[in-house]
Amino acid sequence: MVSLSLFTLFFLLLIVLFVHRIERPPAYARSWGGRGIEVGQLDGPVGVALDTSGNLYVSDSGNNRIQKFDSQGRLITKWGESGSDIGHFNLPFALLVDPAGFLYVGDNKNHRIQKFSSIGQFNLEIGSNGDKDGHFHHPGGMAVDRYGYLYIADTYNHRIQKLTINGEFSGKWGSKGSAVAQFDTPWDVKVDSTGAVYVSDTLNHRVQKCGSDGAFLLEWGIKGRKDGQFQLPTFMYINEDDYIYIVDTGNNRIQKFDKNGRFQYKWGAPGSGGGRFNRPYGICGDENFLYVADFGNNRVIKFKQRPPLAFLSSKTPPRRPPGPWPISTPTGVPIIQIPAPESSETPEPSPRPTDSGPATPTPSPSPTEPGQ
């Protein structure tokens, strides 16, 4: 027994010392959409959210509706039209599915959140235009923690608001600026398994991490194109292991980090082929797949998660060559070709937008005028 135990310990030591892992970006699986108003077509999709059955909700922002698809892109149901009445939308934006299966829709230009059942039945309205507690000015991304609290990126009030699941105000933090715990047009907020809160501080080109009470913990990112840098980070997704996927919209790519902000890998490049992006926004996923709203190409892209490569070596594993990674071309998906900007730099949105919806990290079109 002693020799067996020693052998086991020795074998485990060999694994620790000589087995290396290389994380691999997900592989392109399929896409669907194409600009239009017909069933299954999209006009400037922004938000995506998965339910526990693997069905995907998409905020079809230019058509002012929500579409629900199965995992293969087949339509299940849809609802909504332009307006300010209950069940109507004026730029449906970020989406959230809570543990009970209810869907929250950031009704951006109506400055409110609407809550629906899984089949589109209205349940609750939260908020109105303003800067008071529980009011919003173009609400962005949302998250729910394990205690049932709802976090909302109140984008143009440059703050995060914390509410109960029924919309009652609980707390807030943030103000406009570039100092620690300040924000400039935060687009999204997410919560990990420990209750830590992450904010995409979009116009500061960084991500901030804080406690559930808003206490600052750390930040990472500066403006740029290198690994760990951002050109207007927008939406985020946190997986069950607390890895954070950040949509680096201005760089047309996704970056993955651990919960301490350490870079893992990236994928994506400008274009309309399979796995390429034209202003990506919303992202969500599970242990098998990731979904990205490819706004400028009027489609949703599905990626398959891939396990890390493992190999025995006494040397440090080689670095992955720089992206973009090889990708395939989708079939059967109508694509709208949009000219690339003349400059190699992505133009900034105006520092203080008017009442026209969220600032756009792109030359044209903007989320307030999808697909034009």
Side-chain angles (χ1 to χ4, degrees):
M1 291 295 293
V2 174
S3 60
L4 180 61
S5 299
L6 289 175
F7 176 79
T8 302
L9 290 173
F10 178 72
F11 181 73
L12 291 174
L13 180 61
L14 286 178
I15 292 176
V16 170
L17 291 177
F18 300 113
V19 175
H20 297 284
R21 291 160 55 95
I22 294 182
E23 295 284 338
R24 296 189 295 169
Y28 170 80
R30 62 177 295 138
S31 60
W32 66 87
R35 188 182 178 193
I37 63 173
E38 303 301 325
V39 169
Q41 293 184 321
L42 302 166
D43 190 358
V46 173
V48 289
L50 274 179
D51 67 16
T52 54
S53 299
N55 300 313
L56 184 75
Y57 297 91
V58 181
S59 60
D60 186 5
S61 296
N63 289 321
N64 285 300
R65 66 186 180 185
I66 303 300
Q67 296 199 64
K68 181 180 179 181
F69 301 91
D70 68 14
S71 60
Q72 300 304 309
R74 294 180 290 255
L75 184 76
I76 297 174
T77 188
K78 61 183 176 67
W79 71 90
E81 59 182 279
S82 180
S84 58
D85 293 338
I86 294 301
H88 293 191
F89 304 109
N90 191 353
L91 192 71
F93 209 66
L95 302 177
L96 169 71
V97 175
D98 74 11
F102 287 99
L103 177 72
Y104 295 74
V105 180
D107 189 5
N108 188 272
K109 293 179 70 177
N110 282 326
H111 310 285
R112 66 184 179 184
I113 309 297
Q114 295 194 65
K115 180 181 178 181
F116 298 91
S117 73
S118 61
I119 58 174
Q121 293 178 329
F122 174 79
N123 180 271
L124 181 68
E125 179 186 38
I126 304 171
S128 60
N129 192 15
D131 59 5
K132 297 180 180 179
D133 295 347
H135 291 213
F136 308 108
H137 194 42
H138 299 292
M142 299 167 283
V144 62
D145 69 14
R146 56 187 171 177
Y147 301 109
Y149 284 101
L150 187 66
Y151 298 80
I152 300 171
D154 189 3
T155 302
Y156 285 153
N157 282 325
H158 308 284
R159 66 184 180 183
I160 303 301
Q161 293 204 61
K162 182 178 180 180
L163 311 174
T164 68
I165 206 72
N166 294 316
E168 299 170 349
F169 177 79
S170 178
K172 64 182 178 183
W173 67 90
S175 60
K176 186 175 183 180
S178 58
V180 164
Q182 290 187 318
F183 308 114
D184 192 348
T185 322
W187 268 53
D188 198 10
V189 58
K190 288 293 178 280
V191 180
D192 71 15
S193 64
T194 69
V197 179
Y198 301 77
V199 180
S200 59
D201 189 4
T202 302
L203 292 190
N204 283 325
H205 308 282
R206 66 183 178 183
V207 173
Q208 295 197 58
K209 179 180 178 180
C210 50
S212 60
D213 58 353
F216 175 80
L217 296 175
L218 63 89
E219 64 172 349
W220 72 88
I222 58 173
K223 184 179 180 181
R225 301 181 184 276
K226 297 179 180 179
D227 295 349
Q229 297 179 345
F230 304 107
Q231 288 265 22
L232 303 159
T234 53
F235 290 100
M236 302 180 290
Y237 161 66
I238 299 181
N239 71 11
E240 59 185 7
D241 297 318
D242 289 338
Y243 284 95
I244 304 104
Y245 297 80
I246 299 173
V247 180
D248 188 6
T249 299
N251 285 323
N252 284 297
R253 66 184 181 183
I254 314 294
Q255 297 195 66
K256 180 181 177 181
F257 299 86
D258 71 12
K259 61 184 177 182
N260 295 311
R262 289 186 288 257
F263 174 82
Q264 304 297 303
Y265 59 70
K266 64 187 176 186
W267 82 94
S272 59
R276 292 181 181 266
F277 303 116
N278 186 353
R279 299 183 297 284
Y281 286 134
I283 183 171
C284 64
D286 56 25
E287 65 274 15
N288 297 314
F289 297 100
L290 293 170
Y291 299 84
V292 178
D294 189 12
F295 173 86
N297 285 322
N298 299 295
R299 64 182 179 181
V300 171
I301 306 179
K302 178 180 179 179
F303 295 92
K304 182 173 178 56
Q305 301 268 34
R306 297 191 296 174
L309 290 174
F311 61 94
L312 285 170
S313 174
S314 59
K315 299 179 180 180
T316 302
R319 289 182 58 84
R320 184 187 299 105
W325 287 73
I327 47 183
S328 58
T329 302
T331 57
V333 180
I335 298 299
I336 305 299
Q337 294 289 346
I338 299 177
E342 295 181 1
S343 169
S344 60
E345 292 294 323
T346 302
E348 291 276 5
S350 57
R352 186 65 178 94
T354 59
D355 189 31
S356 60
T360 308
T362 56
S364 175
S366 80
T368 59
E369 299 173 333
Q372 297 182 4

